[in-house]
Amino acid sequence: MAKDNAYKNMSTDELTKELAAMQRELQETRFTHAVSPIQGTHVIKEMRRNIARYKTEIHARSVADQEQAGTAPKRDRIRARRAARRKEVARQRRKAAVARRK
């Protein structure tokens, strides 16, 4: 089954509704599989992955909205600070390596 990118064109409300329906369908499929094994258990794996794709898209949109509003969560500011620190340390190491070569 190929990846379906149709969810990228959906609104966030539509994504949320579709996600709930997919989760219900996954639960029903699991129950069916528990009672009598189904053919092609890969369907369950695909359902889980599609649910993860929808959740990822919903979260990405939520983070983008927060960034636009300027209300990014504290952990994002911490991550940005850590990334800046890593860049600074890498710059210092490169500078020290060049100095050792001379």
Side-chain angles (χ1 to χ4, degrees):
M1 178 180 226
K3 291 182 189 177
D4 182 21
N5 291 329
Y7 63 90
K8 293 191 180 211
N9 298 327
M10 299 172 120
S11 71
T12 306
D13 291 335
E14 290 173 334
L15 278 174
T16 307
K17 289 177 185 176
E18 184 67 24
L19 176 63
M22 291 171 70
Q23 287 173 329
R24 258 185 266 112
E25 184 181 354
L26 175 63
Q27 185 178 19
E28 290 171 6
T29 305
R30 282 182 174 159
F31 289 153
T32 303
H33 181 60
V35 172
S36 62
I38 60 173
Q39 294 294 323
T41 56
H42 68 282
V43 173
I44 294 174
K45 183 177 181 180
E46 285 296 320
M47 289 174 143
R48 281 196 341 259
R49 288 185 177 181
N50 285 332
I51 288 170
R53 285 185 187 104
Y54 276 59
K55 284 183 175 182
T56 301
E57 183 67 22
I58 290 169
H59 180 71
R61 290 180 185 189
S62 142
V63 168
D65 290 345
Q66 289 175 350
E67 286 177 356
Q68 280 183 341
T71 58
K74 183 178 179 181
R75 68 173 155 45
D76 289 340
R77 292 191 304 267
I78 292 170
R79 285 179 182 160
R81 191 171 52 235
R82 286 179 182 164
R85 177 68 183 145
R86 281 192 300 271
K87 286 181 182 177
E88 178 63 24
V89 168
R91 188 186 64 77
Q92 290 173 353
R93 287 181 181 161
R94 283 192 305 271
K95 189 176 180 180
V98 169
R100 282 192 302 258
R101 290 183 204 144
K102 290 182 179 180

